[in-house]
Amino acid sequence: MKFYLRSAEIDERPIYITGNFNDWNPKDPNYVLEKDDKIEDLYFIEINDENLSENIEFKFTKGGWESVEIDRYGNVTPNRKIEKSEKTSQNSVEKWRLNWGPFKKEFFPIVELISEKFFMPQLNKSRKVWALLPFDYHKTDKEYPVLYLQDAQNLFNEGSEFGNWEIDKKLSILSEYGRGDIIIIAIENGKDDRIKEYILDKSSLTDNAEGKKYIRFVTDTLKPYVDSVYRTKQEREFTGIGGSSLGALISIYGGFLYPEVYSKLLIFSPSLWLNPENNFQLLNFSNHYKTKVYLYGGEKEGSKMVERIHLFEDALMNWEKTQSLDFETKVSINSEGEHNEFYWSQEFPRAMEWLFFDSKEDPTKIAKKEIAEN
């Protein structure tokens, strides 16, 4: 079957076709369109019939969901559909997303400062904490899952020293796709105390590790407060924790020390070099809790980042076999990824969707359901 595409926007990025024939992989090297030699805006691909179902659903991307096709107004487009018997498919795309943009203000989360100085009794300190609520939070009576993220200074505030993840923008994209029903709790790091608060035990970096106290604060003090103030789904099935670098490392410890609280771990570029043996404490996994772990790393972060991530993945699989534990793990490696906020920002929507909204349903249908329910 032949698929043709006319693109109103032309740039150097290759165009891919993705659909129910390749498990919706948006950057499948087997499904790259060729450019017509004579017509500048025409692209095409021929797919063997044996690879296609009778009822075909598909979309075009320029290498990922952050660069998927959209309409002229920047709106999500529904999946394209065609019967294999038609033999030929003629298509056109008016615009493409670029680095997930454009971002629509009407879908931006509501950012509330919980406290300038939220007291941490376990550490005898105070910390700034934010809540990012769904854009329609005050118009519904729904309850929401919650993700606790470390290093709030670098998550959404403009002007941060190292840039930021732009999670407010990325949450607006998820909301536009009908996948924005979540509360994010962003916890500011301790600046000069960051290292010792994000390390569990004595290490080469610090003799005064306070990681256990910090995780107790998040779990025993902050979470109960959040659950009392906001409409949250309090069960572990709807609660996650995550971060990047040292923030990812302490999130691993948080998930392992309190598996009865956290079922979803968002782990970006973890500082696993501080625990090369992967001898994490697993004493509290006696109830065999199921835990989803999203592991991301970039090949340009250092010679051993990807290697350590795969070793950690192997350790999770080994613990499943030897201790009857239940981990569902997804590893994402970016060949261009560096150790900074830009790449964590790019990965954030993919991780969120897999951890909290693991569905292949057409996002436009989900969005329409949300509108109808509201």
Side-chain angles (χ1 to χ4, degrees):
M1 184 170 181
K2 274 200 168 182
F3 295 80
Y4 293 93
L5 172 68
R6 304 292 290 265
S7 174
E9 288 188 342
I10 301 174
D11 56 43
E12 297 302 316
R13 293 176 293 171
I15 297 176
Y16 299 78
I17 187 171
T18 182
N20 57 2
F21 45 82
N22 72 338
D23 202 26
W24 292 99
N25 180 349
K27 194 178 182 179
D28 191 330
N30 298 311
Y31 292 93
V32 183
L33 276 67
E34 295 182 45
K35 196 175 188 305
D36 189 273
D37 292 333
K38 298 179 180 179
I39 304 176
E40 184 181 22
D41 65 346
L42 179 62
Y43 302 79
F44 64 92
I45 187 172
E46 186 169 1
I47 302 176
N48 292 333
D49 281 356
E50 58 263 29
N51 295 336
L52 300 170
S53 62
E54 293 301 321
N55 301 306
I56 304 166
E57 290 194 37
F58 64 101
K59 263 189 169 70
F60 296 101
T61 84
K62 289 205 171 185
W65 298 117
E66 71 277 13
S67 54
V68 72
E69 59 173 291
I70 50 179
D71 69 17
R72 70 178 70 179
Y73 306 107
N75 295 316
V76 178
T77 57
N79 291 346
R80 299 172 185 268
K81 298 180 181 181
I82 193 171
E83 302 294 318
K84 184 166 68 174
S85 59
E86 294 189 39
K87 300 294 184 182
T88 302
S89 175
Q90 302 285 348
N91 307 276
S92 64
V93 170
E94 296 174 300
K95 291 180 70 68
W96 303 89
R97 286 203 185 280
L98 179 62
N99 292 334
W100 295 104
F103 307 104
K104 297 191 173 181
K105 289 291 185 181
E106 61 266 33
F107 292 111
F108 270 55
I110 300 165
V111 180
E112 292 188 356
L113 178 61
I114 293 178
S115 175
E116 285 273 1
K117 295 183 177 181
F118 197 106
F119 185 59
M120 312 166 75
Q122 295 82 356
L123 294 162
N124 196 29
K125 304 174 185 176
S126 296
R127 193 62 42 81
K128 188 180 287 187
V129 180
W130 288 267
L132 284 78
L133 310 174
F135 73 97
D136 57 352
Y137 178 85
H138 296 300
K139 297 179 182 178
T140 77
D141 58 0
K142 292 189 293 187
E143 295 180 341
Y144 300 93
V146 182
L147 174 65
Y148 292 84
L149 285 180
Q150 324 313 318
D151 290 314
Q153 292 99 321
N154 300 331
L155 294 180
F156 61 94
N157 291 315
E158 297 296 337
S160 55
E161 183 178 359
F162 302 103
N164 72 82
W165 293 25
E166 296 185 327
I167 64 170
D168 50 349
K169 293 179 180 179
K170 301 310 187 292
L171 287 170
S172 76
I173 290 291
L174 288 167
S175 291
E176 186 183 356
Y177 276 78
R179 291 161 165 86
D181 279 355
I182 187 165
I183 293 173
I184 304 288
I185 302 300
I187 311 158
E188 190 179 65
N189 66 51
K191 300 180 182 177
D192 292 342
D193 289 340
R194 179 179 183 268
I195 292 177
K196 65 181 181 181
E197 288 182 6
Y198 285 176
I199 293 177
L200 202 72
D201 298 303
K202 180 180 177 180
S203 74
S204 59
L205 287 184
T206 179
D207 292 329
N208 302 307
E210 297 180 332
K212 288 181 181 178
K213 295 178 180 179
Y214 174 79
I215 285 299
R216 281 175 49 211
F217 156 69
V218 176
T219 307
D220 297 337
T221 301
L222 182 57
K223 183 182 186 301
Y225 177 84
V226 169
D227 290 337
S228 70
V229 173
Y230 298 104
R231 299 192 310 274
T232 65
K233 294 182 177 180
Q234 302 179 20
E235 298 83 1
R236 72 174 301 274
E237 290 78 11
F238 307 105
T239 306
I241 188 169
S244 61
S245 196
L246 283 175
L249 183 67
I250 195 61
S251 297
I252 292 174
Y253 279 114
F256 286 1
L257 290 173
Y258 293 94
E260 73 281 6
V261 176
Y262 306 106
S263 69
K264 305 175 192 302
L265 308 184
L266 183 149
I267 308 301
F268 286 179
S269 306
S271 300
L272 292 168
W273 57 273
L274 281 166
N275 189 353
E277 302 302 320
N278 286 317
N279 56 343
F280 293 93
Q281 297 185 31
L282 293 164
L283 300 178
N284 291 335
F285 270 85
S286 57
N287 288 338
H288 303 164
Y289 296 103
K290 179 172 182 175
T291 302
K292 296 184 75 171
V293 183
Y294 192 99
L295 285 166
Y296 164 80
E299 290 187 356
K300 294 185 178 180
E301 294 192 54
S303 60
K304 294 188 177 181
M305 171 61 76
V306 173
E307 176 186 342
R308 290 189 180 104
I309 285 176
H310 286 307
L311 287 173
F312 182 58
E313 178 189 18
D314 292 342
L316 292 174
M317 295 174 62
N318 183 59
W319 292 330
E320 281 194 294
K321 295 176 182 178
T322 61
Q323 302 187 39
S324 300
L325 305 180
D326 190 355
F327 291 107
E328 183 179 358
T329 306
K330 183 175 180 64
V331 174
S332 175
I333 303 298
N334 184 348
S335 60
E336 300 298 319
E338 300 176 14
H339 196 80
N340 61 47
E341 281 71 15
F342 172 81
Y343 291 99
W344 300 327
S345 173
Q346 293 295 297
E347 195 68 21
F348 180 71
R350 288 186 277 266
M352 291 296 292
E353 184 164 22
W354 184 78
L355 285 169
F356 290 93
F357 309 99
D358 193 10
S359 169
K360 293 181 180 177
E361 186 176 358
D362 185 340
T364 56
K365 292 180 181 179
I366 298 176
K368 287 177 182 177
K369 287 180 183 178
E370 296 286 330
I371 294 172
E373 291 175 358
N374 294 337

